Amino acid sequence: MGSYYLWLKGLHIAFMVTWFAGLFYLPRLFIYHAPALDAPSRERFGTMEYRLFVIMTLGAGLTALFGIGMLLVNPALLGQGWFQLKLLAVAGLAVYHYRCYRWIVVLRSAAASQDTRWLRWFNEIPVIFLLGGVLLAVLKPSFGS
Ligand code: HEM
């Protein structure tokens, strides 16, 4: 593969990092937002969450753009088990990304709640996708094929 492929890969990884920066920090904001009692704080959290979501979506889009760029150069990857599993992980990440948007909408009109247990579990989920996605992409397990 020419050096342009490595440029695509480097940009792919760089924007993947920006995507995950948002995926790790946004749910943390939800945990502070949910129990906040005063309207100015809730307003401020809402603004921070929405702006971070926009940046995070940009990171996701550019990760996919450079990933698809590499796929167009190297379509044989689609036949490899590790890559199919990675795309499954990416599909899961897309659902998680959408759930984050739903939480922004819900918290905008919700009353304060001191029960943030689910949000703390929700905050941990991206770790699984990050480890899974990176280890699959770097180790490229052959699953016996
Ligand atoms: C959004 C959809 C995505 C697509 C279409 C995609 C596609 C690709 C492709 C085609 C490669 C090149 C594989 C190679 O030539 O060896 C690649 C590499 C890589 N991807 Fe993705 N990817 C996506 C998302 C992700 C995510 C979410 C992560 C992290 C969790 C990730 C982490 C990586 C890493 C670390 C590499 C470099 C692997 C290496 O060369 O060692 N990708 N990706």
Side-chain angles (χ1 to χ4, degrees), residues 33 42 46 49-50 101-111:
H33 186 168
R42 298 190 73 83
E49 288 158 5
Y50 185 74
Y101 177 72
R102 291 304 309 156
W103 271 107
I104 293 174
V105 174
V106 166
L107 285 169
R108 204 177 282 153
S109 55

Side-chain angles (χ1 to χ4, degrees), residues 29 33 38-50:
L29 288 177
H33 186 168
D38 62 299
S41 297
R42 298 190 73 83
E43 180 97 13
R44 193 178 320 111
F45 281 125
T47 307
M48 289 167 72
E49 288 158 5
Y50 185 74

Side-chain angles (χ1 to χ4, degrees), residues 5 9 12 16 20 64 67 70 77 83 86 90 93 133 137 140:
Y5 191 81
K9 194 177 282 188
H12 176 65
M16 180 269 287
F20 273 91
M70 287 186 282
L77 288 168
F83 193 74
K86 183 182 167 206
V90 169
L93 258 181
K140 299 182 171 57

Side-chain angles (χ1 to χ4, degrees), residues 5 9 12-13 16 19-20 60 63-64 66-68 70-71 74 77 82-83 86-87 90 93 129-134 137-138 140:
Y5 191 81
K9 194 177 282 188
H12 176 65
I13 296 170
M16 180 269 287
W19 186 10
F20 273 91
T63 302
F66 293 113
I68 292 164
M70 287 186 282
L71 258 184
N74 193 4
L77 288 168
W82 71 268
F83 193 74
K86 183 182 167 206
L87 287 184
V90 169
L93 258 181
F129 286 115
L130 181 64
L131 289 175
V134 170
V138 172
K140 299 182 171 57

Side-chain angles (χ1 to χ4, degrees), residues 6-7 19 22 26 29 37 48 59 61 63 70 81 86 91 94 111 115 118 135 139:
L6 294 178
W7 272 95
W19 186 10
L26 185 54
L29 288 177
L37 295 168
M48 289 167 72
T63 302
M70 287 186 282
K86 183 182 167 206
D115 182 4
W118 166 241
L135 292 176
L139 301 174

